[in-house]
Amino acid sequence: MLNKKTVDDLQVKGKRVLVRCDFNVPLQDGAITDENRITAALPTIKKLIADGGKVILCSHMGKPKGEAKPELSLAPVAKRLSELLEKEVVFAKDDNVVGENAKAAVAAMKDGDVVLLENTRYRKEETKNEENYSKELASLADVFVNDAFGTSHRAHCSTVGVTEFVSESAVGYLMEKEIEFLGNAVNNPERPFVAILGGSKVSDKINVINNLLEKVDTLIIGGGMAYTFAVAKGGKVGNSLLEEDKVPYAMEMMKKAEEKGVKFLTPVDTVITKEFKNDTEFKTVPTGEIPDEWGGLDIGEETRKLFADAIMGAKTVVWNGPMGVFEFENFAKGTKAVAEAMAQIDATTIIGGGDSAAAVNQLGYGDKMTHISTGGGASLEFLEGKELPGVVAVDDK
Ligand code: AMP
C-alpha cells in the first residue's frame, strides 16, 4: 500500500494548492493531437475545485531548455482544460513562469478558481532542481500535490524541490492509480505473470530485464533488442540492430532465466528488408539466419503465434516497447498481434506508456486494457524496481 499522503488526506478549503500535472501532450501546429494526459489529470483537479481550493496547475511541455519558446507554451492546454472542466482556466502567461503575471493571477483567485502557469521548463533551474526556483514556485502556494506520474522519475524543482518549501504535500489520484496498478502487477501478480519487452535498445532495458526475471513466469523479448539475444544464441543477424557489447549480458540473462525457471521467449522468425523503409521488398526468415545486407524490422508469423499463445495463458501481463518498426504499416504486424492478444484475455493487462500505449490506442484497444500508464520512462523505472523521486519527496501518511 502507498504510504504517502493523498489528496483525500488534505483540507484545502481556502488554501492555494499547487498541482504538478503532466500536460506534456503532443502538439501539431498548435493543436493537441492526443489529450489522454489532460483527461487523466481531471479527477484530482475536480476534487480540489469541489473542496474549495485555489487550484494552481503547473507542468512542463517538451524541452525548451530554459528558454521561453512560444511553440512550447501551455496556452493550448489551458484552452482545452477550460472546455473539459466547463470552467474558466486562467492562463498565467509569463516567460518567468513565477513572474508578475503569475503572481497577479494567483492573488486574484477565489476559492474553486483554476490558474495554469506557463511551461515550468521555460526556466533553466527547473531540470537542475535549483533551490531559488523551487522557493519561487512554493511561494505561490500553501500546499503541493504531485499528480505528474510521467515526470516522477525526475528530481526537478516542480516535482521534488518545491516539496521542501510548502507546509504540506500529497500525491494526486492519477499518481495513486499508476502506482497501485504497476505496483500490484509487479509485486503481487496473479499468475501466470508474463512481461513483454520490445523497442530498440537492450541497454535501455538492462535493469528492467534483470528485475523482471525475479518476478515473472515468462519474459518475452521482441523488437530491435531481440537481435542482441539472437547473437548471444549463436545466430547471424545481418545488419539488424545489434549492441555487440551487450551480448555477454544477454547470455547472462538467459542463464539467469534458466536458473530461475522463467520461460524466456525470443523471436523464432523475423521479417527482413534491405532498406529501412515501408515500401521495400521483404521476406521472413528464421531469426538466427539473417543474410548479410538484410536486417530485421518485425517479428515473423510463427513468432506472433508463439507470443500470442504465451499471452493467452496469462493472468497478468505487462508490456513495454513495440515488437518491430510499427511506424511502418508493413512492419506493424508483430506489435498489433501483441496488442490483440492482450485485448482478448481475461487478465490484468498493463501497458507501460510510450510507443506501446500509442500503438494500443491507435488500434482502438485502449478500453480493453486494465491500465495504460501515462509515463513511459517513469513506468520503466518502476519496472526496474527503482523508487521514483517525485513520489519519495511527498509527505508520508
Ligand atoms: P524505444 O524507444 O527503445 O522504446 O524503441 C521504440 C522504437 O524501436 C520504435 O521507434 C521502433 O520503430 C523501434 N524498433 C522496434 N523494432 C525495431 C527493429 N527491429 N529495428 C529497428 N528499430 C526497431
Side-chain angles (χ1 to χ4, degrees):
M1 230 21 260
L2 184 63
N3 186 31
K4 293 287 171 184
K5 276 192 189 168
T6 76
V7 279
D8 289 327
D9 299 312
L10 302 175
Q11 303 291 328
V12 299
K13 175 105 188 92
K15 290 187 190 158
R16 298 168 304 163
V17 191
L18 179 68
V19 189
R20 176 47 156 110
C21 299
D22 179 6
F23 291 145
N24 182 28
V25 289
L27 289 175
Q28 212 162 33
D29 305 322
I32 297 164
T33 54
D34 177 351
E35 62 184 31
N36 276 317
R37 284 181 164 171
I38 303 181
T39 49
L42 293 176
T44 298
I45 300 171
K46 285 183 177 168
K47 154 84 175 160
L48 295 169
I49 295 170
D51 287 355
K54 294 172 178 158
V55 186
I56 307 156
L57 306 172
C58 68
S59 172
H60 76 287
M61 165 83 85
K63 292 183 176 162
K65 306 220 163 112
E67 275 175 54
K69 296 210 169 122
E71 67 277 17
L72 293 176
S73 168
L74 281 170
V77 173
K79 185 163 171 282
R80 185 64 189 129
L81 203 50
S82 289
E83 291 161 5
L84 291 167
L85 289 170
E86 296 177 352
K87 178 180 180 58
E88 188 187 8
V89 173
V90 174
F91 181 59
K93 184 173 159 46
D94 200 320
D95 287 353
N96 278 322
V97 190
V98 193
E100 291 315 310
N101 268 351
K103 287 179 192 163
V106 170
M109 290 176 90
K110 297 195 197 63
D111 294 358
D113 279 355
V114 184
V115 163
L116 173 62
L117 303 181
E118 186 48 285
N119 188 342
T120 50
R121 289 192 192 163
Y122 273 13
R123 293 277 297 268
K124 62 179 183 334
E125 300 98 315
E126 165 73 334
T127 52
K128 296 180 196 147
N129 197 17
E130 285 180 14
E131 195 172 297
N132 67 317
Y133 185 40
S134 300
K135 279 183 174 163
E136 283 179 48
L137 286 164
S139 74
L140 294 177
D142 307 298
V143 181
F144 173 72
V145 171
N146 192 349
D147 210 17
F149 178 75
T151 332
S152 58
H153 57 314
R154 304 275 180 242
H156 292 169
C157 295
S158 68
T159 58
V160 170
V162 64
T163 58
E164 285 182 44
F165 307 105
V166 288
S167 60
E168 204 175 7
S169 58
V171 296
Y173 289 136
L174 173 62
M175 190 79 112
E176 211 184 341
K177 190 169 115 190
E178 292 269 15
I179 294 166
E180 188 190 310
F181 277 115
L182 286 166
N184 272 341
V186 175
N187 298 318
N188 193 17
E190 197 183 337
R191 294 184 182 276
F193 176 18
V194 176
I196 308 149
L197 296 175
S200 52
K201 287 196 198 142
V202 179
S203 45
D204 284 351
K205 298 197 172 122
I206 281 184
N207 296 324
V208 184
I209 298 171
N210 196 23
N211 189 43
L212 285 177
L213 282 176
E214 306 284 341
K215 321 258 184 191
V216 298
D217 300 295
T218 302
L219 185 62
I220 295 178
I221 305 265
M225 62 192 282
Y227 307 110
T228 302
F229 287 88
V231 169
K233 285 182 173 177
K236 284 192 165 43
V237 297
N239 62 17
S240 306
L241 275 188
L242 171 66
E243 286 169 275
E244 286 221 53
D245 59 328
K246 295 295 175 298
V247 171
Y249 171 79
M251 287 166 132
E252 196 190 313
M253 287 302 105
M254 291 190 292
K255 189 160 156 254
K256 179 170 172 174
E258 204 177 317
E259 283 164 9
K260 297 236 161 235
V262 172
K263 211 184 218 184
F264 197 90
L265 298 180
T266 55
V268 290
D269 59 350
T270 299
V271 182
I272 59 171
T273 66
K274 278 188 173 171
E275 292 174 295
F276 190 82
K277 60 183 192 187
N278 187 58
D279 297 313
T280 186
E281 180 197 354
F282 59 86
K283 59 183 180 182
T284 302
V285 298
T287 294
E289 298 172 25
I290 302 176
D292 292 347
E293 293 173 30
W294 291 74
L297 295 193
D298 196 9
I299 56 175
E301 192 179 349
E302 239 184 278
T303 308
R304 296 203 294 271
K305 278 199 213 119
L306 176 74
F307 289 2
D309 280 349
I311 294 166
M312 291 296 182
K315 276 291 169 194
T316 304
V317 186
V318 173
W319 177 28
N320 189 301
M323 295 292 100
V325 185
F326 75 106
E327 296 92 335
F328 298 155
E329 178 63 30
N330 284 336
F331 309 106
K333 291 196 186 92
T335 303
K336 278 184 192 162
V338 166
E340 256 160 36
M342 284 182 75
Q344 278 174 38
I345 53 171
D346 177 19
T348 301
T349 47
I350 313 249
I351 312 294
D355 285 331
S356 351
V360 164
N361 284 324
Q362 262 166 37
L363 293 166
Y365 293 131
D367 58 357
K368 298 260 169 45
M369 304 296 167
T370 310
H371 181 66
I372 301 183
S373 176
T374 52
S379 65
L380 264 188
E381 293 207 7
F382 198 98
L383 297 178
E384 284 175 28
K386 279 192 193 156
E387 285 194 309
L388 302 172
V391 179
V392 173
V394 163
D395 289 350
D396 290 335
K397 256 208 207 294

